[in-house]
Amino acid sequence: DVVLNGGKLFRPSGTFTLATNRNLTASSSGQVNLTGNYAISNGSTFTIQSSSSLTTSSFLNVGSGSTGTLNVTGLGSTLTVGVPNDAFSSTWGNNGNGSVTLSNQATATINSATIFLGFIFTTGSGSLNVNTGATMTARSIEIATLTAGSGTLTVNGASSAVTQSGSSTLKVGAASGSVATLNVQSSGTFSTGTGAYIDDVAACGGD
């Protein structure tokens, strides 16, 4: 496992790969800065907490062909993916199981052209949970828009928010085969972009 307690992990080039089922934890303003894209997979969990940060200069995939988990938690903890107007997309759950959780006032800026939650042709799932005052800004989002698997986006709790920027689009579900869910509950907020919203045989809930 990799543990950063106020330390820095920079990958300016080359590769950085964790062994199967190994984890990374950044605490006490630790910094993880990865040039290019990255994939959290093979049973690994990344935990970014207590004012720490995870930054990639291109897309971030979580759970591609396997299981991957990303938790960003705590005031001052940040996730930044890609650069403004990035041409590439991030996939959380790509024929595997990907889970991303933002909590306890953490913030995320996802510059990827699209976040695909549950990009599944066979089996698997993708989930994004934003709760306890965490916030995320993103561009287009697609939830379980292929022919299998599931995708879930949940915004839960006061001050918890997901905001799509500009002319971003939101697509929830497919005509058949997959299960897509968008939950906005307990005073959480989801603000769509000015682009199209498509809801194909999916479940949307709120309170």
Side-chain angles (χ1 to χ4, degrees), residues 49-140:
Q49 60 190 13
S50 58
S51 298
S52 297
S53 62
L54 170 61
T55 302
T56 67
S57 64
S58 188
F59 62 86
L60 176 66
N61 291 340
V62 181
S64 295
S66 58
T67 297
T69 303
L70 171 61
N71 299 313
V72 184
T73 184
L75 180 65
S77 296
T78 62
L79 169 66
T80 305
V81 176
V83 296
N85 301 313
D86 204 320
F88 297 98
S89 295
S90 293
T91 304
W92 299 345
N94 180 1
N95 290 321
N97 298 300
S99 173
V100 176
T101 299
L102 309 173
S103 62
N104 295 315
Q105 297 180 277
T107 61
T109 301
I110 313 299
N111 294 303
S112 303
T114 303
I115 298 173
F116 293 99
L117 285 174
F119 197 72
I120 311 296
F121 287 101
T122 53
T123 60
S125 64
S127 66
L128 168 62
N129 297 286
V130 180
N131 59 60
T132 52
T135 59
M136 184 182 84
T137 301
R139 294 166 68 193
S140 294

Side-chain angles (χ1 to χ4, degrees), residues 161-165 189-193:
V162 172
T163 302
Q164 292 184 272
S165 60
T189 60
F190 185 100
S191 301
T192 62

Side-chain angles (χ1 to χ4, degrees), residues 4 8-18 31-40 46 54-60:
L4 300 176
K8 300 178 181 180
L9 172 63
F10 288 174
R11 184 196 67 177
S13 62
T15 61
F16 167 69
T17 305
L18 292 179
Q31 298 177 43
V32 181
N33 194 319
L34 305 172
T35 299
N37 61 72
Y38 194 75
I40 301 174
F46 277 37
L54 170 61
T55 302
T56 67
S57 64
S58 188
F59 62 86
L60 176 66

